[in-house]
Amino acid sequence: MSTTLTEQRTTAAAPRTTPAGRLGALARTELTLLGRAKGTLFTALVVPLILPFTVQATVKESTLEGTGVKVGEVLLTAAVGFSLLFAVYAALVTIFVVRREELVFKRLRTGELRDPEILAGAALPSVLIGFAQCVVVTAGATVLLDLGAPKAVWWALAGVLLGLVLSVALAAVTAGISKTAESAQVMALPLMFVSMIGSGMTVPLEVFPDRVASVLELLPLSPVITLVRGGWSGELTAGEGLMALAVAVAWILLGVFAVRRWFRWEPRR
Amino acid sequence: MDATQCVIDVRSLRRVYDGGFEAVRDVSFSVGRGELFALLGTNGAGKTSTVELLEGLAKPAGGQVRVLGHDPYAERAAVRPRIGVMLQEGGFPSELTVAETVRMWAGCTSGARPVGEALELVGLTKRANVRVKMLSGGEKRRLDLALALLGRPEVLFLDEPTTGLDAEGRVDTWELVRELRADGTTVLLTTHYLEEAESLADRLAILHEGRIALTGTPAEVTATHPSRISFDLPEGYFPGDLPPLAELGVTAHETAGRTVRLQTHELQRAATGLLLWAQGAGVELRGLDVRSASLEEAFLQIARDARAEDTAQDAAQDRTKETVA
């Protein structure tokens, strides 16, 4: 062991770390780890790109008849939804649980990082991947499916950004109630199924009876899908758009509350 | 100890887990600047539960903690940059290399040492590019120590720093801890190795079932327990034939069969008197065992007392209820 101990403490003048610096250090580490976790990486990168094709095979013009919804719009929103669910939500549920069970979160909490920074830093690479994917699939869909340029791009962008934040918050909630990485996979399924079927991802809400549709509109991912589709079609009134924003924000607030209340930083004893 | 010199101050600390288990019950102590304080105890005595409260990882159920004058839980941001923490168990992503782990931690630590220096401190330089999952238990402990030392902390919390280390690694770690202390670092360490506490600590406390059973300097703690002499009475002799025990400084004695056990705080005087008597009488004291007081003796005595107390548990529980109420 060495003798460098005595040149010691640079008194109180040592520069303090900043939230951005800490977040960056943690996110960089998570990116390295993501690159080494092939399974998680495959689920995050490839699955959301393949699934829209399976939807294409099932969504026929006939089902959409009389709804005024184009097949291309359904595929587009399906692609965005799959990116959020697989690249962000499902990936993060696993990452959060594994970090907790490996005691990494507990370790990080002994340092200067604040609790929200720990979750944000761990989530950042997945969020960036999810965002990049949304951009790629929407660009691809726009070109390949003849959708044309989005008519109200701000609605779509707001939808994607809120969707990313929402996915992180819901992943943390799901991780909080999952005991192991295996059970986390199962705990993640309900939201994924419900979203795929009931949030307008693969089946437009217009297909459902009005009463059912108005309930389904309140599901977590519904406002995100509504905003993205409205962004392309331009057929979203300000009232509908604001309503969707409000529902998304409400879910985020609920998620943050649940995380603060129920998230566990250490494995159960 | 005036306020500026008191680095860790713990008063009537309590910790209750979700299931209702009370791991820490009314623990109080303080640690001065530059002091090395050891928390000793058997497994489950409440050492880690106590240290986690000092590190600000959890909120106490009762009592008060001050580290560097701040509440480590509520005023985390003020305390964390000035302390270093070594948890009892890892907490590193297994797929990261040693150097990547230190680099990540350095990005989250004010005034961090360079990565190379940190690894050199703990002798892990050659393992820099090895994944954490490939490290031995002892190497993981040393990596943990490197992270704890990364920010040149004023206060260092070491939770069982040498558990899992081989003899050489243990000596190296002790040497490092001594150097840090010599440089003025305040150290709080937990251990279940008595020799570790005896050789490193300025003061120590023995925890038992969430309470401090005994505290003081190693010498003071040792002195609370008497030295012992035991031997078999020679054939044809009776306890009454021994020289007057009180005059030899013997404080207590008992006879079991032919075996005599004496307790004394003046071992040399008692032993000399006894041996001179045996020589004068021309008898051999078979099974002669002379044992000076030791930390181990004090430690074992606490465990024995506790077992005896178990029989009177009901009464003890009633007392606890009264104190809580």
Side-chain angles (χ1 to χ4, degrees):
Chain A
M1 299 204 181
S2 99
T3 53
T4 46
L5 275 171
T6 38
E7 42 194 84
Q8 277 304 323
R9 224 157 283 139
T10 35
T11 60
R16 289 287 170 98
T17 56
T18 61
R22 297 190 292 257
L23 207 61
L26 191 53
R28 182 181 158 190
T29 303
E30 280 298 336
L31 193 61
T32 308
L33 287 169
L34 196 59
R36 288 174 194 167
K38 304 296 178 221
T40 312
L41 197 62
F42 180 82
T43 313
L45 290 183
V46 181
V47 173
L49 297 180
I50 294 174
L51 281 179
F53 292 104
T54 67
V55 176
Q56 188 179 23
T58 54
V59 180
K60 298 283 183 304
E61 296 285 351
S62 56
T63 30
L64 300 175
E65 210 163 287
T67 61
V69 180
K70 292 182 202 153
V71 174
E73 285 168 15
V74 176
L75 292 185
L76 176 80
T77 51
V80 169
F82 286 132
S83 293
L84 293 176
L85 285 178
F86 284 89
V88 186
Y89 174 72
L92 284 179
V93 171
T94 304
I95 287 172
F96 287 158
V97 172
V98 169
R99 297 290 173 270
R100 179 185 69 216
E101 299 302 310
E102 276 187 325
L103 297 172
V104 173
F105 279 162
K106 180 175 184 178
R107 188 60 173 98
L108 292 173
R109 288 185 88 228
T110 66
E112 294 170 37
L113 286 155
R114 287 145 203 260
D115 291 351
E117 290 170 14
I118 293 175
L119 290 181
L124 199 54
S126 298
V127 167
L128 292 179
I129 288 176
F131 183 71
Q133 235 164 19
C134 287
V135 171
V136 169
V137 293
T138 49
T142 308
V143 175
L144 296 176
L145 302 171
D146 254 351
L147 271 180
K151 297 191 177 65
V153 71
W154 296 111
W155 284 133
L157 191 63
V160 169
L161 294 180
L162 285 172
L164 289 168
V165 176
L166 184 59
S167 301
V168 175
L170 294 178
V173 174
T174 310
I177 55 175
S178 309
K179 281 182 187 160
T180 64
E182 286 77 25
S183 70
Q185 304 282 333
V186 179
M187 300 301 274
L189 290 179
L191 180 74
M192 298 181 74
F193 279 136
V194 166
S195 301
M196 284 183 214
I197 297 164
S199 282
M201 268 178 65
T202 56
V203 187
L205 295 184
E206 285 82 347
V207 171
F208 294 96
D210 282 354
R211 270 201 195 158
V212 178
S214 58
V215 172
L216 294 180
E217 273 168 15
L218 298 176
L219 290 174
L221 232 49
S222 300
V224 175
I225 301 299
T226 303
L227 287 167
V228 171
R229 210 174 77 202
W232 247 263
S233 68
E235 288 162 9
L236 199 62
T237 65
E240 287 168 340
L242 290 176
M243 181 63 194
L245 287 178
V247 173
V249 169
W251 274 107
I252 289 170
L253 291 178
L254 201 63
V256 169
F257 170 79
V259 171
R260 292 174 65 116
R261 185 84 175 70
W262 288 293
F263 192 76
R264 285 181 299 113
W265 296 96
E266 296 176 36
R268 265 185 229 276
R269 296 202 173 210
Chain B
M1 214 183 299
D2 69 75
T4 55
Q5 288 304 305
C6 177
V7 169
I8 301 172
D9 189 41
V10 177
R11 281 184 209 164
S12 311
L13 198 60
R14 285 180 65 236
R15 182 168 188 185
V16 183
Y17 285 103
D18 285 348
F21 172 64
E22 200 178 2
V24 180
R25 317 160 183 216
D26 193 22
V27 165
S28 304
F29 62 87
S30 56
V31 183
R33 186 169 291 281
E35 218 181 357
L36 196 152
F37 189 84
L39 279 178
L40 265 172
T42 47
N43 291 330
K47 302 188 296 288
T48 298
S49 297
T50 302
V51 173
E52 284 181 359
L53 295 178
L54 306 191
E55 293 161 353
L57 280 177
K59 195 179 164 157
Q64 180 186 298
V65 185
R66 286 286 175 276
V67 173
L68 294 161
H70 297 281
D71 176 340
Y73 183 80
E75 300 168 276
R76 215 163 123 173
V79 178
R80 292 296 168 77
R82 300 169 67 186
I83 69 172
V85 172
M86 181 174 177
L87 292 176
Q88 194 177 99
E89 234 187 307
F92 314 116
S94 48
E95 295 296 337
L96 280 188
T97 68
V98 169
E100 285 166 347
T101 305
V102 178
R103 202 174 302 134
M104 184 267 282
W105 199 252
C108 304
T109 303
S110 299
R113 299 170 192 267
V115 173
E117 182 188 320
L119 292 180
E120 200 191 325
L121 272 180
V122 297
L124 277 179
T125 307
K126 285 183 185 156
R127 305 289 274 164
N129 295 315
V130 174
R131 299 253 172 113
V132 168
K133 67 178 173 188
M134 304 302 288
L135 296 181
S136 71
E139 286 171 332
K140 280 184 190 156
R141 291 314 278 151
R142 285 191 273 152
L143 175 57
D144 214 333
L145 185 58
L147 299 195
L149 298 179
L150 204 55
R152 305 172 204 273
E154 290 169 58
V155 188
L156 196 53
F157 294 97
L158 305 174
D159 199 353
E160 300 195 4
T162 60
T163 300
L165 292 186
D166 57 21
E168 197 193 346
R170 187 166 297 161
V171 171
D172 285 347
T173 299
W174 289 0
E175 194 50 44
L176 187 54
V177 171
R178 278 199 198 95
E179 283 177 43
L180 290 162
R181 192 192 151 278
D183 288 335
T185 309
T186 306
V187 184
L188 187 138
L189 82 87
T190 76
T191 182
H192 51 234
Y193 297 118
L194 299 166
E195 81 251 46
E196 186 161 298
E198 204 153 25
S199 89
L200 289 178
D202 296 309
R203 286 189 307 126
L204 59 89
I206 298 179
L207 274 181
H208 186 75
E209 292 181 344
R211 290 198 177 82
I212 290 184
L214 207 51
T215 182
T217 65
E220 285 167 359
V221 169
T222 304
T224 56
H225 287 266
S227 304
R228 291 158 189 280
I229 303 173
S230 67
F231 57 91
D232 293 342
L233 263 183
E235 212 54 48
Y237 283 83
F238 297 95
D241 297 327
L242 295 171
L245 292 175
E247 286 175 22
L248 299 182
V250 172
T251 54
H253 63 96
E254 57 174 12
T255 314
R258 298 216 62 80
T259 306
V260 177
R261 294 197 191 92
L262 310 177
Q263 294 187 357
T264 178
H265 289 282
E266 299 163 273
L267 186 58
Q268 185 180 338
R269 184 173 151 209
T272 307
L274 182 70
L275 292 174
L276 283 175
W277 169 80
Q279 195 177 28
V283 296
E284 185 189 357
L285 299 176
R286 287 179 188 275
L288 177 66
D289 183 19
V290 178
R291 190 168 295 195
S292 64
S294 70
L295 195 52
E296 185 179 5
E297 193 62 32
F299 191 76
L300 293 174
Q301 189 61 45
I302 287 166
R304 274 196 293 268
D305 291 351
R307 231 171 291 139
E309 241 172 58
D310 279 349
T311 50
Q313 187 121 47
D314 290 343
Q317 271 173 355
D318 288 347
R319 276 203 303 278
T320 315
K321 275 178 202 149
E322 280 167 20
T323 6
V324 171

Coordinates of all heavy atoms in Angstrom, one line a residue, chain A residues 213-262:
Chain A
A213 N -64.8 3.5 -24.7 CA -63.7 4.3 -25.2 C -63.3 5.4 -24.2 O -62.2 5.7 -23.9 CB -64.0 4.9 -26.5
S214 N -64.4 6.0 -23.6 CA -64.1 7.2 -22.7 C -63.4 6.7 -21.4 O -62.7 7.5 -20.8 CB -65.4 8.0 -22.4 OG -66.3 7.1 -21.8
V215 N -63.6 5.4 -21.1 CA -62.9 4.9 -19.9 C -61.4 4.6 -20.3 O -60.5 4.9 -19.6 CB -63.6 3.6 -19.4 CG1 -62.7 3.0 -18.3 CG2 -64.9 4.0 -18.8
L216 N -61.3 3.9 -21.5 CA -60.0 3.5 -22.0 C -59.1 4.7 -22.2 O -57.9 4.7 -22.1 CB -60.1 2.7 -23.3 CG -60.8 1.4 -23.2 CD1 -60.8 0.7 -24.5 CD2 -60.1 0.5 -22.2
E217 N -59.7 5.9 -22.5 CA -58.9 7.1 -22.7 C -58.2 7.5 -21.4 O -57.2 8.3 -21.5 CB -59.8 8.3 -23.1 CG -60.1 8.4 -24.6 CD -61.2 9.3 -24.9 OE1 -61.6 10.1 -24.0 OE2 -61.7 9.3 -26.0
L218 N -58.6 7.0 -20.3 CA -57.9 7.3 -19.0 C -56.8 6.4 -18.7 O -56.1 6.6 -17.7 CB -59.0 7.3 -17.9 CG -60.1 8.3 -18.1 CD1 -61.1 8.1 -16.9 CD2 -59.6 9.7 -18.1
L219 N -56.5 5.4 -19.5 CA -55.4 4.5 -19.2 C -54.1 5.2 -19.4 O -54.0 6.2 -20.1 CB -55.4 3.3 -20.2 CG -56.5 2.3 -19.9 CD1 -56.5 1.2 -21.0 CD2 -56.4 1.6 -18.6
P220 N -53.0 4.8 -18.7 CA -51.8 5.6 -18.7 C -51.2 6.0 -20.0 O -50.9 7.1 -20.3 CB -50.8 4.7 -17.9 CG -51.6 3.7 -17.2 CD -52.9 3.6 -17.9
L221 N -51.2 5.0 -21.0 CA -50.6 5.3 -22.2 C -51.5 5.9 -23.3 O -51.1 6.4 -24.3 CB -49.9 4.0 -22.8 CG -48.4 4.1 -23.2 CD1 -47.6 4.8 -22.1 CD2 -47.9 2.7 -23.5
S222 N -52.8 5.9 -23.0 CA -53.8 6.4 -23.9 C -53.6 7.8 -24.4 O -53.6 8.1 -25.6 CB -55.2 6.3 -23.4 OG -55.5 4.9 -23.1
P223 N -53.3 8.7 -23.4 CA -53.1 10.1 -23.8 C -51.9 10.3 -24.7 O -51.9 11.1 -25.6 CB -52.9 10.9 -22.5 CG -52.6 9.9 -21.5 CD -53.3 8.6 -21.9
V224 N -50.8 9.4 -24.5 CA -49.6 9.5 -25.3 C -50.0 9.1 -26.7 O -49.6 9.8 -27.7 CB -48.6 8.5 -24.7 CG1 -47.3 8.5 -25.6 CG2 -48.2 9.0 -23.3
I225 N -50.7 8.0 -26.9 CA -51.1 7.6 -28.2 C -52.0 8.6 -28.9 O -51.8 8.9 -30.1 CB -51.8 6.2 -28.1 CG1 -50.9 5.2 -27.5 CG2 -52.2 5.7 -29.5 CD1 -49.6 4.9 -28.2
T226 N -52.9 9.1 -28.2 CA -53.8 10.2 -28.7 C -53.0 11.4 -29.2 O -53.3 11.9 -30.3 CB -54.8 10.6 -27.6 OG1 -55.5 9.5 -27.1 CG2 -55.8 11.7 -28.2
L227 N -52.1 11.8 -28.4 CA -51.3 13.0 -28.8 C -50.4 12.7 -30.1 O -50.3 13.5 -31.0 CB -50.4 13.4 -27.7 CG -51.1 14.1 -26.5 CD1 -50.2 14.2 -25.3 CD2 -51.6 15.5 -26.9
V228 N -49.8 11.5 -30.1 CA -49.0 11.2 -31.2 C -49.8 11.1 -32.5 O -49.5 11.7 -33.6 CB -48.2 9.9 -31.0 CG1 -47.5 9.4 -32.3 CG2 -47.2 10.0 -29.9
R229 N -51.0 10.4 -32.4 CA -51.8 10.3 -33.6 C -52.4 11.6 -34.1 O -52.4 12.0 -35.3 CB -52.9 9.3 -33.4 CG -53.3 8.5 -34.7 CD -54.3 7.5 -34.4 NE -55.6 8.0 -34.2 CZ -56.5 7.4 -33.5 NH1 -56.3 6.2 -33.0 NH2 -57.7 7.9 -33.4
G230 N -52.8 12.4 -33.1 CA -53.3 13.7 -33.4 C -52.3 14.6 -34.0 O -52.6 15.4 -34.9
G231 N -51.0 14.4 -33.6 CA -49.9 15.2 -34.1 C -49.8 14.9 -35.6 O -49.5 15.9 -36.4
W232 N -50.1 13.7 -36.0 CA -49.9 13.4 -37.5 C -51.2 13.8 -38.3 O -51.0 14.4 -39.3 CB -49.6 11.9 -37.7 CG -48.2 11.7 -38.2 CD1 -47.9 11.6 -39.5 CD2 -47.0 11.8 -37.4 NE1 -46.5 11.5 -39.6 CE2 -46.0 11.7 -38.4 CE3 -46.7 12.0 -36.1 CZ2 -44.6 11.7 -38.0 CZ3 -45.4 12.0 -35.7 CH2 -44.4 11.8 -36.6
S233 N -52.3 13.4 -37.7 CA -53.5 13.6 -38.5 C -53.9 15.1 -38.4 O -54.6 15.6 -39.3 CB -54.7 12.8 -37.9 OG -55.0 13.2 -36.6
G234 N -53.5 15.8 -37.4 CA -53.9 17.2 -37.2 C -55.4 17.3 -36.8 O -56.0 18.4 -36.7
E235 N -56.0 16.1 -36.5 CA -57.5 16.2 -36.2 C -57.7 16.1 -34.6 O -58.5 15.4 -34.1 CB -58.1 14.9 -36.8 CG -58.3 15.1 -38.3 CD -58.5 13.7 -39.0 OE1 -58.8 12.8 -38.2 OE2 -58.5 13.6 -40.2
L236 N -56.8 16.9 -33.9 CA -57.0 16.9 -32.5 C -57.4 18.3 -32.1 O -56.6 19.3 -32.4 CB -55.7 16.5 -31.8 CG -55.7 16.1 -30.4 CD1 -56.5 14.8 -30.2 CD2 -54.2 15.9 -29.9
T237 N -58.6 18.5 -31.5 CA -58.9 19.9 -31.1 C -58.1 20.2 -29.9 O -57.5 19.4 -29.2 CB -60.4 19.9 -30.7 OG1 -60.6 19.1 -29.5 CG2 -61.3 19.4 -31.8
A238 N -58.0 21.5 -29.6 CA -57.2 22.0 -28.5 C -57.7 21.4 -27.2 O -57.0 21.0 -26.3 CB -57.3 23.5 -28.4
G239 N -59.0 21.3 -27.1 CA -59.6 20.7 -25.9 C -59.2 19.3 -25.7 O -58.8 18.9 -24.6
E240 N -59.3 18.5 -26.8 CA -58.9 17.1 -26.7 C -57.4 16.9 -26.3 O -57.0 16.1 -25.5 CB -59.2 16.4 -28.1 CG -60.6 16.1 -28.4 CD -60.9 15.7 -29.8 OE1 -60.0 16.0 -30.7 OE2 -61.9 15.1 -30.1
G241 N -56.6 17.8 -27.0 CA -55.2 17.8 -26.7 C -54.9 18.1 -25.3 O -54.1 17.4 -24.6
L242 N -55.5 19.1 -24.8 CA -55.2 19.5 -23.4 C -55.7 18.5 -22.4 O -55.1 18.2 -21.4 CB -55.9 20.9 -23.1 CG -55.2 22.1 -23.8 CD1 -56.0 23.4 -23.5 CD2 -53.8 22.2 -23.4
M243 N -56.8 17.9 -22.8 CA -57.4 16.8 -21.9 C -56.3 15.7 -21.9 O -56.0 15.1 -20.8 CB -58.7 16.3 -22.5 CG -59.3 15.2 -21.7 SD -59.8 15.8 -20.1 CE -60.1 14.2 -19.3
A244 N -55.8 15.3 -23.0 CA -54.8 14.2 -23.1 C -53.6 14.6 -22.2 O -53.0 13.8 -21.5 CB -54.4 13.9 -24.5
L245 N -53.1 15.8 -22.4 CA -52.0 16.3 -21.6 C -52.2 16.2 -20.1 O -51.4 15.7 -19.3 CB -51.6 17.8 -21.9 CG -51.0 18.1 -23.3 CD1 -50.8 19.6 -23.4 CD2 -49.6 17.3 -23.4
A246 N -53.5 16.6 -19.7 CA -53.8 16.5 -18.3 C -53.8 15.1 -17.8 O -53.3 14.8 -16.7 CB -55.2 17.2 -18.1
V247 N -54.4 14.2 -18.6 CA -54.4 12.8 -18.1 C -53.0 12.2 -18.0 O -52.6 11.6 -17.0 CB -55.2 11.9 -19.1 CG1 -55.1 10.4 -18.8 CG2 -56.6 12.3 -19.2
A248 N -52.1 12.5 -19.0 CA -50.7 12.1 -18.9 C -50.0 12.6 -17.7 O -49.3 11.9 -16.9 CB -49.9 12.4 -20.2
V249 N -50.2 13.9 -17.4 CA -49.5 14.6 -16.3 C -50.0 14.0 -15.0 O -49.3 13.7 -14.0 CB -49.7 16.1 -16.3 CG1 -49.3 16.7 -15.0 CG2 -48.9 16.7 -17.5
A250 N -51.4 13.7 -15.0 CA -51.9 13.1 -13.8 C -51.3 11.8 -13.5 O -51.0 11.5 -12.3 CB -53.5 13.0 -13.9
W251 N -51.1 11.0 -14.5 CA -50.5 9.7 -14.3 C -49.0 9.8 -13.8 O -48.6 9.0 -13.0 CB -50.5 8.8 -15.6 CG -51.8 8.1 -15.7 CD1 -52.8 8.3 -16.6 CD2 -52.2 6.9 -15.0 NE1 -53.8 7.4 -16.4 CE2 -53.5 6.5 -15.4 CE3 -51.6 6.2 -13.9 CZ2 -54.2 5.4 -14.9 CZ3 -52.3 5.1 -13.4 CH2 -53.6 4.7 -13.9
I252 N -48.3 10.8 -14.4 CA -46.9 11.0 -13.9 C -46.9 11.4 -12.4 O -46.1 10.9 -11.7 CB -46.3 12.1 -14.8 CG1 -46.0 11.5 -16.2 CG2 -45.0 12.5 -14.2 CD1 -45.6 12.6 -17.2
L253 N -47.8 12.3 -12.1 CA -47.8 12.7 -10.7 C -48.2 11.6 -9.8 O -47.6 11.4 -8.7 CB -48.9 13.9 -10.5 CG -48.5 15.2 -11.1 CD1 -49.6 16.2 -10.9 CD2 -47.1 15.7 -10.6
L254 N -49.1 10.7 -10.2 CA -49.5 9.6 -9.4 C -48.3 8.6 -9.3 O -48.0 8.1 -8.2 CB -50.7 8.9 -10.1 CG -51.5 7.9 -9.3 CD1 -52.2 8.7 -8.2 CD2 -52.6 7.2 -10.2
G255 N -47.6 8.5 -10.4 CA -46.4 7.6 -10.4 C -45.3 8.1 -9.5 O -44.8 7.3 -8.7
V256 N -45.1 9.4 -9.5 CA -44.1 10.0 -8.6 C -44.5 9.8 -7.2 O -43.7 9.4 -6.3 CB -43.9 11.5 -8.9 CG1 -43.0 12.1 -7.9 CG2 -43.2 11.6 -10.3
F257 N -45.8 10.0 -6.9 CA -46.2 9.8 -5.5 C -46.0 8.4 -5.1 O -45.5 8.1 -4.0 CB -47.7 10.2 -5.4 CG -48.4 9.8 -4.1 CD1 -48.2 10.5 -3.0 CD2 -49.1 8.6 -4.1 CE1 -48.8 10.2 -1.8 CE2 -49.7 8.2 -2.9 CZ -49.5 9.0 -1.7
A258 N -46.4 7.4 -6.0 CA -46.2 6.0 -5.6 C -44.8 5.6 -5.4 O -44.5 4.8 -4.5 CB -46.9 5.1 -6.7
V259 N -43.9 6.2 -6.2 CA -42.5 5.9 -6.1 C -42.0 6.4 -4.7 O -41.3 5.7 -4.0 CB -41.6 6.5 -7.2 CG1 -40.2 6.4 -7.0 CG2 -42.0 5.8 -8.6
R260 N -42.3 7.6 -4.4 CA -41.9 8.2 -3.2 C -42.4 7.4 -2.0 O -41.7 7.2 -1.0 CB -42.3 9.6 -3.0 CG -41.6 10.5 -4.0 CD -42.2 11.9 -3.9 NE -42.0 12.5 -2.6 CZ -41.2 13.6 -2.5 NH1 -40.7 14.2 -3.5 NH2 -41.0 14.1 -1.3
R261 N -43.6 6.8 -2.2 CA -44.3 6.1 -1.1 C -43.8 4.7 -1.0 O -43.6 4.2 0.1 CB -45.8 6.2 -1.3 CG -46.7 5.6 -0.3 CD -47.0 6.6 0.8 NE -47.9 6.1 1.7 CZ -47.7 5.1 2.6 NH1 -46.5 4.6 2.5 NH2 -48.6 4.7 3.4
W262 N -43.7 4.0 -2.1 CA -43.5 2.5 -2.1 C -42.2 2.0 -2.6 O -41.9 0.8 -2.6 CB -44.6 1.8 -2.8 CG -45.9 1.9 -2.0 CD1 -46.1 1.3 -0.8 CD2 -47.1 2.6 -2.3 NE1 -47.4 1.6 -0.3 CE2 -48.0 2.4 -1.3 CE3 -47.5 3.4 -3.4 CZ2 -49.3 3.0 -1.2 CZ3 -48.7 4.0 -3.4 CH2 -49.6 3.7 -2.3

